[in-house]
Every structure is written in C-alpha cells, then in structure tokens.
Amino acid sequence: MTDPNAIQPSALDQLPDRDPEETAEWQASLDAVAREAGPHRAAYLMRRTLERAEAGGVALPKLLETDYVNTIPTAAEPEVPGDEEMERRITAWNRWNAAAMVTRASKLGVGGHIATFASAAWLYETGFNHFFKGKEADGSGDQLYIQGHASPGIYARAFLDGRLSEHHLDNFRQEAAGGGLPSYPHPRRLPWLWEFPTVSMGLGPLSAIYQARFNRYLTNRGIKDVSASHVWAFLGDGEMDEPESTAALALASREGLDNLTFVINCNLQRLDGPVRANFKIVQELEAQFRGAGWNVVKTLWGTAWDELFALDTTGALVRRLREVPDAQVQTYQTRDAAYIRQDFFGKDPALVEMAKLLSDDKILECFHLSRGGHEARKVYAAYKAAVEHKGVPTVILAQTVKGHTLGDGFASKNANHQMKKLSVEEFKQMRDLLELPISDEQFVDGVVPYGRPGADSPEVRYLQERRAALGGPAPARRVHPVAPLPAPADKAFASFDKGSGSQNVATTMAFVRLVKDLVRDKETGRRWVPIVPDEARTFGMESLFPSLGIYSPKGQTYEPVDRDQLMYYKEAQNGQILNEGITEAGSMADFIAASSSYATHGEAMIPFYIFYSMFGWQRTADQMWQLGDQLGRGFLVGATAGRTTLTGEGLQHADGHSPVIAATNPAALSYDPAFAYEIAVIVKDGLRRMYGEAAPGEDPNVFYYLTVYNEPLPQPAKPAGLGIDEGIVKGLYRFNTAESAGLTPASPKLSTSLEQGGTPTAPRIQLLGSGTAIHWALDAQKLLAEDWGVAADVWSATSWTELRRDALEADAALLRGEERVPYVRQALHGAEGPVLAVSDYMRQVPDQIAQWVEQDWSSLGADGFGLSDTRAAARRHFGVDAESIVVAALAQLAKRGEVQVTAVKEAREKYGL
C-alpha cells in the first residue's frame, strides 16, 4: 500500500538532468538552511527564489499564494494626488447619510443595509475621486458594477453631489408613489443612475468580465474605439462562493482583459457569519485568481501595522497572520487588548517579546481599526497598480471591517447584515467619531437628520471638481440620442412568403437563413452579434464561420484542419460571431453586454443568442431577469425546442416548459412560430420596435424569445388576406378553414338532433396550434373531415403569452372604466364550435388564455418528463399527435351533443389509442 505521506516522484524526474552534481548542491543548500535557520527561513528563500524566477520570465509554475501581507509595501506606495483630508470629510458625510437613510426607512419596515458600505466607503471614494471615468471621458467612460448592498452609500454621494434630494432619500425603497429610490442597482427603476444590476449574487462578476470582453469586441471590429474604458466590479468575499462569480476567470486572463479590475471587499463576513470561519478567504481567493492567470494585489493592513512589521525580525508575525483563521480575526475585532495579547501574541515567544513593546492602544488600533481597505493611501496604491498592469486583469483583495465606524454594536458582529438601524445615541457616537458638525438639536423627535455641508461648501466643490476632471458624474447611465437604425430591405423577409415548396425545412434553419440575409445588409448587417454556446453546427450555422468569422483577440494562429473546405472554421480578430464554448451563462452574459450597448456605448447592436431551449431559460433565467432590468434588447432563440421534437435525446433535453418561464419575465416577448414566414414577420417587427420607430406606447426596452424546431417540414406560403401580419405579431390568426383547405366532411356522426329530423350539417371545431404542433393539427383537420365528418378550422397561435398580456391589459382597462375587448376574443369572435388548443409544451402554456375565450375550451400538451424515442412515439405517449387530437376533438363535440358519444370510443379503437 502506498504511503500517502511519502514524497512522490516529481515530473522533473522524467527529464534528463544535465548536471546532477549542481542539482545536488542546490538541494544540499536548501537542507542546510532548513537545518541551521529553520524551515520558515528555508520556505522564505524558496518563495523569493520563485518570485525572482517569475519576474525574470523563467518558465515555472506560478506562486499561487503569498504571505498574508500587503502586495505593495508602504515604501513603494505613491502619493495620493488629491486632498486626503477633504476626501475624509466627504467620506464621513457619505457614511452618515447612508446610515441615516436606511435607519429612517427601517422605521417604515422597508429595511436596507448599512454594514456593507460602511466597510467599503474608501474603496468607492478613492475610485470616484481619482479613477472612475465619467461618460464625457474618452470612449464611453468606465463601467461600474457596484456591489448591491452598498447602494445606500452611492445614493448618499449622489445626494452630496446634488443629484438626489432629501425627498429621494426619504423614499428609499418606496417607489410606488414615484420619486423613490430602488433598493439596489436597478437600471429599469432608476435609468439615469444605474447601468448594471448586480445584486443577484454572482451575476455582477460574470457580467463584468463579458462586458470588458465586449468592449474589446467593439474596438477590434471597428464599431467604436472604447479602449480607454475600464470595467470595475465591486464584489463581496462571500459573493465569490457563487459559481458564476468565478466561472469566467480563465476567459478574462486568456484574452488579456487588462481593461478589467475586480475589487473584492474582504470583510471576512457573509450574510450569517464568517466567510471562511476555519480558513482564510483572502488566501483562497488569491490562489484561485493567480491560478486562473490574474494579477493579484492584496491590500490587507493599514499604516498602523507598519510598526509591527518593522519589529518582526524573525518572521513570526507574518507566520502568525497566515495561520489565524478568519473567524478568530473577527473575534479580535471585538475583544480587549489583554485577550489579543494572550491569544494572538502568546502563541510564539518572539511575538510575546514584540507585544511587550506595544501599548494597549496600539494593539487596539491595529486589530480594531487599521485595515488596508479603510485607508485612501493604500487603496489608491492598489488602484494605480491595477490600471497600470498590462496583459491580464487585476483583482484587488482589500481587507476591511464590516460595519466600520458604526460603533461597537455593529463592527464584525455576525448579525450586522440584518441590522437595519442605529439608535440616536449610536448616531451621536458616530457623529463624534467622524467629526461631523451635527448638533444634538438637529435630532428632532428622535429622527436622525441628513447631513449636507452646502452646495458651495469646500467638500461639494471638491467632489464636483474631481468628477468634472474625470469626465462627469458616476455612476451614470446615458442613452445617447442616436437615430433609429434603418430597416433592412423587405426582400430578406418577403422571401419566406412563398414557402419552401416540396422542400422540407426546419424553422431553426429558416431563422438561420434569415439572419444570413440580414447580416449582409449594408446599413445594419455589421451590427448583428451572433452568439452561440459551441453548438453552431447543431443549428446549421457553420456556413456563417467563413463569411463572418469567429471573434478571437488573437485572430487565427493555426491552420484549421478543415481549411480546404467551403465552410471552414475561421477565427479572426474582427470576427463577428461569439462562439463561447459550452457555457450558457457566459453566452447570456455576452448577450446582456451586446443588448445594452445602445446605452453603454451609444452603439446599437443586435444580438441573437441561439441555444438548446431546454438549457436556456431553465439554466439562466436569473440572467434573463438581469437582462430585463438592464433594459437589454435583442433576440433569444430557443432551438431544438419542444418536448417531442428532439428524437432520442431524452428527459434532460426535452423542453416542455421554457415558454412558461419566459412568460414570467415582463420584458420578454415570447413567440412559438410555426412557419418560416411567421419568423420573418416577428423578427421584422422586433427590429422595428427595438431599433427603429417604436409605436406610441410601445416600450422598446424589451427582448424577444423565439422557439424554433429541428424538425424538417414543408413550409407553406403565407396566406393571403388582410391582418395576417398583425395576427402573427399579436399572437393569433386563422391559418385556414376546412373549406379553404379543400376538405369536404364525410357523412357526419351527428347528434340526436339529426335523428329527430334535423338538417345534417357538419359539426365544427376550432383547432389552435403553436410551433410544430400546428402540423399535427393540420393532420387532425384532415382526419376529422375524412373519417368523422367534422369541419375544423386551424389557427396559428404564435404567442400565447402576448395574447394573455393583451387580455390582462384589457381587464385592467375595464376596471378604469375603459371599454376594451381582448384581442383573442376579437379574433375568435363568431368562430363556430368549441376550441381545442395544442402545443409541444405543457398544457399550462395554451391554458394561459382560456378564461378569455368565449367558446368551450380544452387543451392538449406534453406534460411530464420527456423521454427517449422517435417523434411519433413520443407524441403518442403524451397524447398530442394527430390521432389524439381527433379523439379530443370528438370528445369535446360529444359533450356538446354534436356527435354521438360512441364516436369517441370508435376513434380510440380505430387509431389504437
């Protein structure tokens, strides 16, 4: 049995040793240092040797973890160019007003967070005063991803700047009446201030990476030079546990995104307690980011620690800092000097001697207050190092104290994330600590006052001057006044009107063909951003590779294996396609960046992201919500859609519910088109609404979700007649009638009214189908006529969701005293017989409109888990094939007494159901 503690053979043992004697000398030297000076000295020398090798370009594995000290030593810190005292006063006002705003709101029960901004105040203030470029700067300015729970501090600074009033602050988290402030960064709720929604944990860091990448994409493609823009993402150390937070770290380093900086507020606490109680989150994150190829800057200790490090001649202090777990560091924050002397310094004789040279006040200053993230000088040095570092992105690990300056009742307490207010006495203590000129008399009836030094005060003038020098206010979202994009030529859309003749074409292929035509448009073609998660060939998109190219910042440094083929794999620095690999989350982050480029960069881009419908909404619905919040525009395309169309793949590939999830998103316009010409009409109208001239009352800040299928079927010509396009866009139109289909019902199995001498007339039913299900309805229409003497009209329901939303709006209008009839009721008005709806999704999808249909209603759908089999077998299993539709239709008619009840049993037996 192998001894797990035995030294394992090194990979180097497999390489020839050109000078074994020299190797032995190096090893002996290391042994001697360890023996004479101790293992800590040997480890120190090895680390410094590895650092020297890395700096010299020697090809060695990178050192993943450094000592628990600042990356930038005090002697190497640059001077802060501004007025540090002025910035301290500004930060004090921001701290006060953030706490006052949340406390006042908490009395109304709406809550808020205080401790996060208290720990991160200097991280933001230093950036606002010296680094964050505004919208008037070169390119598009910087993009700021603000940590959601720190929003009160950002509001407080905007209040000091004059961009917000006391009325705004008094309506924090109270938006219904208007003039209120949203809880977190929500562009849809406060579109002039917030650019990026971040509070859904993990989505901020992921989106920031792809935003930085999209900035490079725009520049490399010649759309707009935004090389001067820098992306800053402010994150919490607890947030880094989310898989999305670190999912794209390798992409950022691989593509050399030195236009990106992560600032992780390492206050060592998450929502309920320590982030790594028994371990050290800073060291873990450092190893993770270094391993992914990032530049890491640690800003851990404030200047008060300089004296301690100067006394550490043996390295005992550094060793002790490395071994103390985070939860114990948090405990030191709340304990007296005697406890710290015993528990921290008492573990090592060298530290015991060091502690004798330190006063109690010095110990408390270091362990209670002095953190790198709380000092402008330390933060400035880290930020300057980040923006000057080239080749890879930088992460700054800034240690802070959660609840800093809020008093002993807050700082480092496990529950401080849930603590929403301070008492009047705690505010007065905070006032004295921050040296703010607020008198006791200003606390009227126990209400804490807001603090504002005046519009012409030195603090406000300084703040505004710094922002003017950096290109204007920040954060800020600006929709540049750009002309609507010209509509593509009608030829691209009209080519689908004639159908496919005898050729079978899947709607997935129809959509891809449409896009191929649209990207050739001279005016708007270059603005399309095709996004696909490594399944372009699955969706028939490989023909776009050589014509559009796959984006890569390195271009193509190899000869592709299929170079001699017509549709070879072509990468290019100015490539148009974003082929993301197997990552729906990354592809969705791409889409969000492209979809909001009209605001971020003043450049309207038209993204379409095509994906397995099962793996889109199901996996990344949170990002679709983020997309709606960010007011993104574009086309999401759920391909290989439906529960029964993907033959053989089975349960986890069979989508029977994505339209249900899509229906929950108010910004998503969800369509399930059946035919190629419907796709053309929907895309054309989507381009008009989102990028052209939206009609009065239409919100252009929407995105479209189209489900398309991989089942090749004949594509019919667009029916003649008025209102077809309107019906497609609104969600329903009559595709044909039994008569227009040339069907003559056979002798009907009529109700008892015929037996009593009635005139024989064919019973009639209305069949509503969406997507691929309309083909089953058309087959059922024929069977009903030929086998049962029933006349059926077939309707194409392109959007059950849009029909429902229109009906809900009509209901709301009625409550306001306005007369309005839902479109679905208008469309079906006067249609004879009952209505039977069918789709390749669960019945809940068509049932969305049931209450507004005046006829008798029933539906069929593919409820339950998917399964592996042929399409025909799967449809028979779920009871949605043509024969099942016939039986369901007869059952409806029998219930109404329009066919004999025995017809239902006969049909089941005839079709083997």
Side-chain angles (χ1 to χ4, degrees), residues 658-666 668-672 705 729-731 797-809 844-846 848-849 852:
S658 70
V660 177
I661 308 176
T664 65
N665 192 310
L669 277 62
S670 179
Y671 287 89
D672 187 25
Y705 177 52
V729 171
K730 288 190 172 183
T798 54
S799 179
W800 309 101
T801 301
E802 287 306 295
L803 291 173
R804 175 179 175 80
R805 288 176 177 170
D806 172 80
L808 289 171
E809 290 173 7
Q844 185 176 339
V845 175
Q848 292 180 86
I849 66 170
W852 295 280

Short mmCIF file of all heavy atoms in Angstrom, two decimals, residues 658-666 668-672 705 729-731 797-809 844-846 848-849 852:
data_model
loop_
_atom_site.label_atom_id
_atom_site.label_comp_id
_atom_site.label_asym_id
_atom_site.label_seq_id
_atom_site.Cartn_x
_atom_site.Cartn_y
_atom_site.Cartn_z
N SER A 658 -40.15 25.96 -21.34
CA SER A 658 -39.45 27.25 -21.42
C SER A 658 -40.41 28.41 -21.68
O SER A 658 -40.19 29.51 -21.14
CB SER A 658 -38.34 27.21 -22.47
OG SER A 658 -38.85 27.15 -23.78
N PRO A 659 -41.50 28.26 -22.46
CA PRO A 659 -42.41 29.39 -22.60
C PRO A 659 -43.10 29.78 -21.29
O PRO A 659 -43.49 30.94 -21.11
CB PRO A 659 -43.44 28.89 -23.62
CG PRO A 659 -42.72 27.85 -24.40
CD PRO A 659 -41.85 27.17 -23.40
N VAL A 660 -43.24 28.82 -20.37
CA VAL A 660 -43.84 29.15 -19.08
C VAL A 660 -42.90 30.06 -18.30
O VAL A 660 -43.30 31.08 -17.74
CB VAL A 660 -44.13 27.87 -18.26
CG1 VAL A 660 -44.69 28.22 -16.89
CG2 VAL A 660 -45.11 26.98 -19.01
N ILE A 661 -41.61 29.69 -18.28
CA ILE A 661 -40.64 30.52 -17.56
C ILE A 661 -40.51 31.87 -18.24
O ILE A 661 -40.44 32.92 -17.59
CB ILE A 661 -39.28 29.81 -17.49
CG1 ILE A 661 -39.43 28.39 -16.95
CG2 ILE A 661 -38.32 30.60 -16.62
CD1 ILE A 661 -38.14 27.60 -16.94
N ALA A 662 -40.48 31.88 -19.57
CA ALA A 662 -40.36 33.15 -20.30
C ALA A 662 -41.54 34.06 -20.01
O ALA A 662 -41.39 35.29 -19.95
CB ALA A 662 -40.26 32.87 -21.80
N ALA A 663 -42.72 33.47 -19.81
CA ALA A 663 -43.92 34.28 -19.55
C ALA A 663 -43.82 35.04 -18.23
O ALA A 663 -44.53 36.03 -18.04
CB ALA A 663 -45.16 33.39 -19.55
N THR A 664 -42.94 34.59 -17.34
CA THR A 664 -42.82 35.28 -16.05
C THR A 664 -42.00 36.55 -16.15
O THR A 664 -41.96 37.35 -15.21
CB THR A 664 -42.17 34.36 -15.00
OG1 THR A 664 -40.82 34.07 -15.39
CG2 THR A 664 -42.95 33.06 -14.87
N ASN A 665 -41.30 36.75 -17.26
CA ASN A 665 -40.43 37.92 -17.40
C ASN A 665 -41.16 39.02 -18.14
O ASN A 665 -41.47 38.87 -19.33
CB ASN A 665 -39.15 37.53 -18.15
CG ASN A 665 -38.09 38.60 -18.09
OD1 ASN A 665 -38.35 39.78 -18.37
ND2 ASN A 665 -36.88 38.23 -17.75
N PRO A 666 -41.45 40.14 -17.50
CA PRO A 666 -42.25 41.19 -18.16
C PRO A 666 -41.60 41.78 -19.39
O PRO A 666 -42.29 42.34 -20.24
CB PRO A 666 -42.40 42.25 -17.06
CG PRO A 666 -42.12 41.53 -15.78
CD PRO A 666 -41.13 40.48 -16.11
N ALA A 668 -39.83 40.07 -21.63
CA ALA A 668 -39.67 39.06 -22.67
C ALA A 668 -40.94 38.93 -23.50
O ALA A 668 -42.02 38.69 -22.96
CB ALA A 668 -39.31 37.71 -22.05
N LEU A 669 -40.81 39.10 -24.81
CA LEU A 669 -41.91 38.85 -25.73
C LEU A 669 -41.69 37.45 -26.30
O LEU A 669 -40.77 37.23 -27.09
CB LEU A 669 -41.93 39.89 -26.86
CG LEU A 669 -42.64 41.22 -26.54
CD1 LEU A 669 -41.95 41.94 -25.41
CD2 LEU A 669 -42.68 42.10 -27.78
N SER A 670 -42.51 36.52 -25.86
CA SER A 670 -42.29 35.10 -26.16
C SER A 670 -43.17 34.65 -27.32
O SER A 670 -44.39 34.80 -27.28
CB SER A 670 -42.60 34.27 -24.90
OG SER A 670 -42.43 32.90 -25.16
N TYR A 671 -42.54 34.06 -28.35
CA TYR A 671 -43.24 33.58 -29.53
C TYR A 671 -42.87 32.13 -29.82
O TYR A 671 -41.71 31.72 -29.62
CB TYR A 671 -42.89 34.43 -30.75
CG TYR A 671 -43.52 35.81 -30.75
CD1 TYR A 671 -42.87 36.89 -30.16
CD2 TYR A 671 -44.77 36.03 -31.33
CE1 TYR A 671 -43.45 38.16 -30.16
CE2 TYR A 671 -45.35 37.29 -31.33
CZ TYR A 671 -44.69 38.35 -30.74
OH TYR A 671 -45.26 39.60 -30.73
N ASP A 672 -43.86 31.39 -30.30
CA ASP A 672 -43.67 30.00 -30.70
C ASP A 672 -44.13 29.85 -32.16
O ASP A 672 -45.18 29.28 -32.43
CB ASP A 672 -44.48 29.08 -29.78
CG ASP A 672 -44.21 27.60 -30.03
OD1 ASP A 672 -43.11 27.28 -30.54
OD2 ASP A 672 -45.10 26.77 -29.74
N TYR A 705 -38.14 36.27 -27.35
CA TYR A 705 -37.78 34.86 -27.21
C TYR A 705 -38.56 34.07 -28.25
O TYR A 705 -39.80 34.02 -28.22
CB TYR A 705 -38.10 34.35 -25.81
CG TYR A 705 -37.82 32.86 -25.63
CD1 TYR A 705 -36.58 32.33 -25.97
CD2 TYR A 705 -38.79 32.00 -25.14
CE1 TYR A 705 -36.31 30.98 -25.82
CE2 TYR A 705 -38.53 30.64 -24.98
CZ TYR A 705 -37.29 30.14 -25.32
OH TYR A 705 -37.03 28.80 -25.18
N VAL A 729 -48.05 39.03 -35.06
CA VAL A 729 -47.40 39.82 -34.02
C VAL A 729 -48.21 39.79 -32.73
O VAL A 729 -47.65 39.67 -31.63
CB VAL A 729 -47.18 41.27 -34.49
CG1 VAL A 729 -46.70 42.15 -33.34
CG2 VAL A 729 -46.19 41.31 -35.64
N LYS A 730 -49.53 39.87 -32.85
CA LYS A 730 -50.37 39.89 -31.64
C LYS A 730 -50.53 38.51 -31.03
O LYS A 730 -50.88 38.39 -29.85
CB LYS A 730 -51.73 40.49 -31.97
CG LYS A 730 -51.66 41.99 -32.21
CD LYS A 730 -53.06 42.60 -32.28
CE LYS A 730 -52.98 44.11 -32.31
NZ LYS A 730 -54.32 44.75 -32.32
N GLY A 731 -50.35 37.46 -31.84
CA GLY A 731 -50.33 36.13 -31.25
C GLY A 731 -51.30 35.13 -31.81
O GLY A 731 -51.25 33.95 -31.44
N ALA A 797 -51.32 29.95 -33.27
CA ALA A 797 -51.14 30.77 -32.06
C ALA A 797 -49.65 31.05 -31.89
O ALA A 797 -48.92 30.26 -31.28
CB ALA A 797 -51.70 30.05 -30.84
N THR A 798 -49.21 32.13 -32.45
CA THR A 798 -47.77 32.44 -32.42
C THR A 798 -47.29 32.84 -31.04
O THR A 798 -46.11 32.70 -30.73
CB THR A 798 -47.44 33.55 -33.42
OG1 THR A 798 -48.30 34.67 -33.15
CG2 THR A 798 -47.65 33.09 -34.85
N SER A 799 -48.19 33.36 -30.21
CA SER A 799 -47.76 33.75 -28.86
C SER A 799 -48.92 33.67 -27.88
O SER A 799 -49.77 34.57 -27.83
CB SER A 799 -47.18 35.17 -28.85
OG SER A 799 -46.80 35.52 -27.53
N TRP A 800 -48.95 32.62 -27.10
CA TRP A 800 -49.94 32.50 -26.04
C TRP A 800 -49.71 33.60 -24.99
O TRP A 800 -50.66 34.15 -24.44
CB TRP A 800 -49.83 31.14 -25.37
CG TRP A 800 -49.85 29.97 -26.29
CD1 TRP A 800 -48.78 29.25 -26.71
CD2 TRP A 800 -51.00 29.37 -26.91
NE1 TRP A 800 -49.18 28.23 -27.55
CE2 TRP A 800 -50.54 28.28 -27.69
CE3 TRP A 800 -52.37 29.64 -26.89
CZ2 TRP A 800 -51.40 27.47 -28.43
CZ3 TRP A 800 -53.23 28.83 -27.62
CH2 TRP A 800 -52.74 27.76 -28.38
N THR A 801 -48.45 33.90 -24.75
CA THR A 801 -48.11 34.87 -23.71
C THR A 801 -48.56 36.28 -24.08
O THR A 801 -49.11 37.01 -23.24
CB THR A 801 -46.60 34.86 -23.45
OG1 THR A 801 -46.20 33.54 -23.06
CG2 THR A 801 -46.22 35.83 -22.35
N GLU A 802 -48.33 36.68 -25.34
CA GLU A 802 -48.74 38.02 -25.74
C GLU A 802 -50.26 38.14 -25.76
O GLU A 802 -50.81 39.20 -25.45
CB GLU A 802 -48.15 38.36 -27.10
CG GLU A 802 -46.65 38.64 -27.05
CD GLU A 802 -46.29 39.71 -26.03
OE1 GLU A 802 -46.72 40.87 -26.21
OE2 GLU A 802 -45.61 39.39 -25.04
N LEU A 803 -50.95 37.06 -26.09
CA LEU A 803 -52.41 37.07 -26.03
C LEU A 803 -52.87 37.29 -24.59
O LEU A 803 -53.80 38.06 -24.33
CB LEU A 803 -52.98 35.76 -26.57
CG LEU A 803 -52.83 35.51 -28.08
CD1 LEU A 803 -53.28 34.09 -28.41
CD2 LEU A 803 -53.62 36.53 -28.88
N ARG A 804 -52.23 36.60 -23.67
CA ARG A 804 -52.61 36.75 -22.26
C ARG A 804 -52.32 38.16 -21.77
O ARG A 804 -53.15 38.77 -21.07
CB ARG A 804 -51.85 35.73 -21.41
CG ARG A 804 -52.10 35.91 -19.91
CD ARG A 804 -51.36 34.87 -19.10
NE ARG A 804 -51.52 35.13 -17.67
CZ ARG A 804 -52.59 34.81 -16.95
NH1 ARG A 804 -53.62 34.22 -17.53
NH2 ARG A 804 -52.64 35.07 -15.66
N ARG A 805 -51.15 38.70 -22.11
CA ARG A 805 -50.81 40.05 -21.63
C ARG A 805 -51.79 41.09 -22.17
O ARG A 805 -52.18 42.02 -21.46
CB ARG A 805 -49.38 40.38 -22.03
CG ARG A 805 -48.34 39.61 -21.22
CD ARG A 805 -46.94 39.87 -21.70
NE ARG A 805 -45.97 39.18 -20.85
CZ ARG A 805 -44.68 39.06 -21.13
NH1 ARG A 805 -44.20 39.61 -22.24
NH2 ARG A 805 -43.87 38.41 -20.31
N ASP A 806 -52.16 40.94 -23.43
CA ASP A 806 -53.13 41.86 -24.00
C ASP A 806 -54.47 41.76 -23.25
O ASP A 806 -55.11 42.77 -22.97
CB ASP A 806 -53.33 41.55 -25.49
CG ASP A 806 -54.48 42.34 -26.09
OD1 ASP A 806 -54.27 43.52 -26.41
OD2 ASP A 806 -55.58 41.76 -26.21
N ALA A 807 -54.86 40.53 -22.92
CA ALA A 807 -56.12 40.34 -22.22
C ALA A 807 -56.05 40.92 -20.80
O ALA A 807 -57.02 41.50 -20.31
CB ALA A 807 -56.46 38.85 -22.17
N LEU A 808 -54.92 40.76 -20.14
CA LEU A 808 -54.77 41.34 -18.81
C LEU A 808 -54.85 42.86 -18.86
O LEU A 808 -55.45 43.50 -17.99
CB LEU A 808 -53.43 40.91 -18.20
CG LEU A 808 -53.31 39.43 -17.79
CD1 LEU A 808 -51.88 39.10 -17.41
CD2 LEU A 808 -54.25 39.12 -16.62
N GLU A 809 -54.26 43.44 -19.89
CA GLU A 809 -54.34 44.89 -20.05
C GLU A 809 -55.78 45.33 -20.30
O GLU A 809 -56.22 46.38 -19.82
CB GLU A 809 -53.42 45.34 -21.19
CG GLU A 809 -51.93 45.21 -20.87
CD GLU A 809 -51.06 45.49 -22.07
OE1 GLU A 809 -51.60 45.92 -23.13
OE2 GLU A 809 -49.84 45.29 -21.98
N GLN A 844 -50.20 24.11 -19.54
CA GLN A 844 -50.20 25.42 -18.91
C GLN A 844 -49.89 26.53 -19.91
O GLN A 844 -50.32 27.67 -19.73
CB GLN A 844 -49.17 25.44 -17.77
CG GLN A 844 -49.16 26.71 -16.95
CD GLN A 844 -48.19 26.61 -15.79
OE1 GLN A 844 -47.83 25.51 -15.38
NE2 GLN A 844 -47.76 27.73 -15.27
N VAL A 845 -49.16 26.20 -20.97
CA VAL A 845 -48.79 27.22 -21.96
C VAL A 845 -50.03 27.72 -22.70
O VAL A 845 -50.33 28.93 -22.66
CB VAL A 845 -47.71 26.69 -22.91
CG1 VAL A 845 -47.42 27.70 -24.02
CG2 VAL A 845 -46.43 26.37 -22.15
N PRO A 846 -50.80 26.88 -23.39
CA PRO A 846 -52.00 27.40 -24.04
C PRO A 846 -53.10 27.80 -23.05
O PRO A 846 -53.91 28.70 -23.35
CB PRO A 846 -52.45 26.25 -24.94
CG PRO A 846 -51.86 25.03 -24.35
CD PRO A 846 -50.55 25.47 -23.77
N GLN A 848 -53.00 29.60 -20.72
CA GLN A 848 -52.86 31.00 -20.29
C GLN A 848 -54.04 31.87 -20.75
O GLN A 848 -54.37 32.85 -20.10
CB GLN A 848 -51.58 31.61 -20.85
CG GLN A 848 -50.29 31.06 -20.30
CD GLN A 848 -49.09 31.74 -20.93
OE1 GLN A 848 -48.66 32.79 -20.47
NE2 GLN A 848 -48.57 31.17 -21.99
N ILE A 849 -54.64 31.51 -21.89
CA ILE A 849 -55.67 32.38 -22.46
C ILE A 849 -57.08 31.85 -22.26
O ILE A 849 -58.06 32.45 -22.72
CB ILE A 849 -55.43 32.60 -23.97
CG1 ILE A 849 -55.61 31.29 -24.75
CG2 ILE A 849 -54.05 33.19 -24.21
CD1 ILE A 849 -55.63 31.47 -26.26
N TRP A 852 -60.33 33.94 -21.37
CA TRP A 852 -60.81 35.00 -22.26
C TRP A 852 -61.40 34.46 -23.57
O TRP A 852 -61.77 35.22 -24.44
CB TRP A 852 -59.69 35.97 -22.58
CG TRP A 852 -59.22 36.72 -21.37
CD1 TRP A 852 -59.83 37.81 -20.81
CD2 TRP A 852 -58.09 36.44 -20.55
NE1 TRP A 852 -59.15 38.22 -19.69
CE2 TRP A 852 -58.07 37.40 -19.51
CE3 TRP A 852 -57.08 35.48 -20.59
CZ2 TRP A 852 -57.07 37.42 -18.53
CZ3 TRP A 852 -56.09 35.49 -19.62
CH2 TRP A 852 -56.10 36.45 -18.60
#
